[in-house]
Amino acid sequence: MRPTSPRPLRTRGRELPRLPHRPRPSPFQTIAEWLDVLSANGLSDDTVEGYGSALIKMCVPPLLDPAEIPEPILMQYLSSRNPKGPASEQLKSAAKSYYRWATRRGHQAEDPAAALLYRRPKYPPAVALSRSEYARAMEELRSHRDPRRAIAIAL
């Protein structure tokens, strides 16, 4: 019976065989692969599109491949943009997501976005009533002369 796979190479004292050279993918192929991973992980189409456009906009002013953008240029770009609110967070999220993915996949030697920090939310999460507090409030509102109050709270 013949083996289906070749015997393992014995390399003691010999050089390992060289693998054929794979050309480096273009920046657009790399970005498209990253966007496919984001879609496969369940991000919405709007989020994927926003991340992609943020990354492309980040590469246009310095005319660099995302893999060639060092940390100082990335930080300078993010500070010069000065967007407010969710736009700022989307730029940071796109940069962190791409560079973390590219570093894991070997497209990038180091992560220039590792030092990026997210802004703390302005307001704490909304306080919700417990079931007992909600039941007590509804009981008190049922006896009120305006029944619309109980309906508004129930919604």
Side-chain angles (χ1 to χ4, degrees), residues 57-70:
K57 287 175 189 174
M58 188 171 52
C59 298
V60 169
L63 295 175
L64 291 174
D65 175 356
E68 298 170 352
I69 295 179

Side-chain angles (χ1 to χ4, degrees), residues 5-6 9 21 37 40 49 62 64 71 78 82 84 87 90 106-107 112 115 119 121 127 129 138 144:
S5 65
L9 295 173
H21 174 68
V37 169
E49 185 178 329
L64 291 174
E71 184 177 356
L78 291 174
N82 196 21
K84 302 290 184 199
Q90 186 174 35
H107 298 298
R119 170 179 67 84
V127 178
L129 296 175
M138 291 306 291
H144 198 274

Side-chain angles (χ1 to χ4, degrees), residues 65-94:
D65 175 356
E68 298 170 352
I69 295 179
E71 184 177 356
I73 291 178
L74 176 65
M75 297 303 174
Q76 180 184 10
Y77 171 76
L78 291 174
S79 66
S80 69
R81 292 277 309 182
N82 196 21
K84 302 290 184 199
S88 166
E89 297 305 307
Q90 186 174 35
L91 279 172
K92 290 179 190 176
S93 295

